[in-house]
Amino acid sequence: MTVYTEKTHVMNTYARWDVTIAKGSGTTVWDHTGKMYLDCTSGIGVTSLGHCPPAVTAKLHQQLDTLWHSSNLTQQPLQEELGQKLAELSGLDQVFFCNSGAEANEAAIKVARRYAQKSKGEDRFEIITFGQSFHGRTLATLTATGQQKVKEGFSPLPAGFITVPYGDVEAVKKAATNRTCAVLLELVQGEGGVHPASADFVTELYDWCKQNEILFMIDEVQTGIGRTGEWFSYQHYGIIPDVVTLAKGLGSGFPIGAMIATEAVAAAFSPGSHGTTFGGNQLATTAGMATLLEMEQQNILPHVKELSQYLLGALGELAKQYSDQIKGVRGLGLMVGIEMNGEVGTYLKTAQQKGVLLLQAGPNVIRLLPALVIQKAEIDQLIIVLKEILELTKA
């Protein structure tokens, strides 16, 4: 493998680590020198079944020898198969397939506006979002995002988005006007610091949206497909939204996104109103279907719930022992944040040196997104390394 150490021809849009991953299997990756790492990032919540899961790999190999891509102008039985499965798991009705989470959220924004304008008039276009949210990097989705840092340098931004404090239903009510068509939120804010929504907030907001005929849309790009211990995070709250967006965990690393909606909302789209060249092609839908079937085969959801308790319990003990450094631990399922009393860059770099890959969510939060197949022994390994780092960095 060629490792580029000087200026390359790739634009400088990522603050890359000094790590080059050459191979992966399960929860383990190896760099170009052969050094082994415990991957607690899963490619930012993507490789939920671990790297190169054999069952998904086998299905992709089979499809590679059959057909990679055909136009969406042709019939797509693999889309129909995956769409039916997602409808069954979600309680919703119809799916639009795309390539990424940002595209899924773009589709949600478009279908919400089109639905509202068809049913209520052309002045219905505003969408309420929340502070510290993250919905993508297209112009529309970064405008919807509740973090100023992603918006700098991209003005003028599209109109039609209002951001209010997360968890504040009264702020939503005050912000709503006769132009409001939808509310868009994450039930666990990932990039914003791993903040799960309270049950009271979600229930009250959901009821208010229903009473006022405002679409309730949930961004499940990071939380969906088993990450929180249910197929979708909203299933913890006993609700069914109007629109859901998916991406990361759906294809085991193969690029795929999806926007799922009720039949009534989906009917707002018609031929020519939205589309994509690559979205839902044969390789992507094969990866998606194989991923879902393998998660069912491995009984992933109970495993995530059990390992989540184990991980949160172990981190809670660390937090007690190192309360001068750890401010708190929070999360849902295997989406966990460790809030530190200072910036976390040094912690992440030291962890890499010790063979563990970690993420951050904002300057002060260590974010854990391990593969959903992680085992207790690997969590024990993680805890040992975290403890060593905390000892090294004690005041």
Side-chain angles (χ1 to χ4, degrees), residues 221-346:
V221 168
Q222 192 166 140
T223 54
I225 312 300
R227 173 59 56 184
T228 67
E230 299 288 353
W231 286 109
F232 304 91
S233 64
Y234 63 82
Q235 291 167 336
H236 291 281
Y237 296 87
I239 60 171
I240 298 181
D242 300 293
V243 177
V244 173
T245 57
L246 298 172
K248 290 179 180 291
L250 182 54
S252 288
F254 204 95
I256 185 171
M259 184 269 288
I260 319 174
T262 63
E263 186 173 6
V265 174
F269 275 173
S270 56
S273 60
H274 194 47
T276 169
T277 296
F278 296 106
N281 74 14
Q282 283 78 5
L283 290 178
T285 46
T286 293
M289 193 67 189
T291 297
L292 295 180
L293 293 177
E294 184 62 11
M295 289 180 74
E296 287 184 328
Q297 179 67 29
Q298 292 194 33
N299 211 18
I300 284 291
L301 299 186
H303 177 78
V304 170
K305 291 172 183 174
E306 179 185 354
L307 272 290
S308 172
Q309 288 185 344
Y310 188 77
L311 174 59
L312 288 170
L315 291 173
E317 290 301 314
L318 269 188
K320 291 177 186 177
Q321 190 173 353
Y322 297 93
S323 58
D324 58 326
Q325 296 180 72
I326 300 178
K327 190 173 180 180
V329 176
R330 56 181 178 263
L332 188 61
L334 288 174
M335 185 173 179
V336 175
I338 309 168
E339 185 173 2
M340 309 301 291
N341 282 316
E343 295 192 359
V344 300
T346 300

Side-chain angles (χ1 to χ4, degrees), residues 168-186:
D168 190 340
V169 178
E170 291 305 313
V172 175
K173 294 176 182 178
K174 289 177 183 177
T177 70
N178 57 9
R179 296 185 298 273
T180 304
C181 69
V183 167
L184 173 63
L185 77 158
E186 303 156 287

Side-chain angles (χ1 to χ4, degrees), residues 366-383:
I366 298 171
R367 179 171 35 156
L368 303 177
L369 293 172
L372 306 186
V373 295
I374 194 169
Q375 301 297 315
K376 289 181 178 179
E378 292 163 326
I379 290 176
D380 292 342
Q381 178 186 346
L382 166 65
I383 297 299

Side-chain angles (χ1 to χ4, degrees), residues 21 23-29 39 41-43 47 49-54 252 371:
I21 302 302
K23 185 176 71 170
S25 177
T27 58
T28 303
V29 293
D39 183 7
T41 76
S42 61
T47 55
L49 289 169
H51 293 276
C52 305
S252 288

Side-chain angles (χ1 to χ4, degrees), residues 63 76-83 97 281-283 285-286:
Q63 189 61 44
Q76 296 283 344
L78 294 177
Q79 285 188 21
E80 291 292 341
E81 182 183 32
L82 181 55
F97 289 109
N281 74 14
Q282 283 78 5
L283 290 178
T285 46
T286 293

Side-chain angles (χ1 to χ4, degrees), residues 2-311:
T2 301
V3 178
Y4 295 92
T5 57
E6 299 178 358
K7 183 177 180 180
T8 75
H9 295 284
V10 178
M11 290 189 185
N12 185 27
T13 56
Y14 305 101
R16 296 191 195 273
W17 301 337
D18 190 20
V19 177
T20 302
I21 302 302
K23 185 176 71 170
S25 177
T27 58
T28 303
V29 293
W30 291 262
D31 70 13
H32 66 289
T33 70
K35 181 178 177 178
M36 182 187 299
Y37 299 83
L38 173 63
D39 183 7
C40 291
T41 76
S42 61
I44 315 183
V46 171
T47 55
S48 296
L49 289 169
H51 293 276
C52 305
V56 180
T57 299
K59 290 291 186 182
L60 278 170
H61 275 300
Q62 183 181 357
Q63 189 61 44
L64 277 167
D65 291 333
T66 306
L67 181 66
W68 295 15
H69 173 86
S70 68
S71 163
N72 272 313
L73 296 174
T74 65
Q75 297 296 317
Q76 296 283 344
L78 294 177
Q79 285 188 21
E80 291 292 341
E81 182 183 32
L82 181 55
Q84 180 180 354
K85 188 66 177 176
L86 287 171
E88 290 172 359
L89 296 176
S90 68
L92 298 173
D93 300 306
Q94 294 186 321
V95 184
F96 174 81
F97 289 109
C98 51
N99 308 288
S100 68
E103 287 181 60
N105 283 331
E106 282 274 351
I109 290 164
K110 288 180 71 173
V111 80
R113 287 184 171 182
R114 192 169 173 89
Y115 170 79
Q117 290 176 31
K118 278 176 168 286
S119 60
K120 296 183 178 5
E122 292 186 2
D123 60 343
R124 294 276 184 157
F125 62 90
E126 286 183 347
I127 295 173
I128 297 174
T129 66
F130 294 88
Q132 295 306 115
S133 60
F134 184 84
H135 299 296
R137 293 187 182 273
T138 65
L139 275 177
T141 57
L142 71 83
T143 308
T145 292
Q147 299 184 51
Q148 186 59 34
K149 66 181 181 181
V150 306
K151 305 179 186 187
E152 292 173 0
F154 298 115
S155 297
L157 299 176
F161 298 92
I162 300 171
T163 301
V164 302
Y166 190 57
D168 190 340
V169 178
E170 291 305 313
V172 175
K173 294 176 182 178
K174 289 177 183 177
T177 70
N178 57 9
R179 296 185 298 273
T180 304
C181 69
V183 167
L184 173 63
L185 77 158
E186 303 156 287
L187 294 180
V188 184
Q189 290 189 329
E191 185 75 17
V194 193
H195 293 282
S198 72
D200 288 345
F201 164 62
V202 175
T203 301
E204 186 179 351
L205 179 60
Y206 179 77
D207 290 343
W208 178 84
C209 285
K210 290 299 179 185
Q211 291 163 10
N212 290 274
E213 298 183 332
I214 291 171
L215 295 182
F216 191 84
M217 307 199 300
I218 299 181
D219 179 342
E220 295 261 11
V221 168
Q222 192 166 140
T223 54
I225 312 300
R227 173 59 56 184
T228 67
E230 299 288 353
W231 286 109
F232 304 91
S233 64
Y234 63 82
Q235 291 167 336
H236 291 281
Y237 296 87
I239 60 171
I240 298 181
D242 300 293
V243 177
V244 173
T245 57
L246 298 172
K248 290 179 180 291
L250 182 54
S252 288
F254 204 95
I256 185 171
M259 184 269 288
I260 319 174
T262 63
E263 186 173 6
V265 174
F269 275 173
S270 56
S273 60
H274 194 47
T276 169
T277 296
F278 296 106
N281 74 14
Q282 283 78 5
L283 290 178
T285 46
T286 293
M289 193 67 189
T291 297
L292 295 180
L293 293 177
E294 184 62 11
M295 289 180 74
E296 287 184 328
Q297 179 67 29
Q298 292 194 33
N299 211 18
I300 284 291
L301 299 186
H303 177 78
V304 170
K305 291 172 183 174
E306 179 185 354
L307 272 290
S308 172
Q309 288 185 344
Y310 188 77
L311 174 59

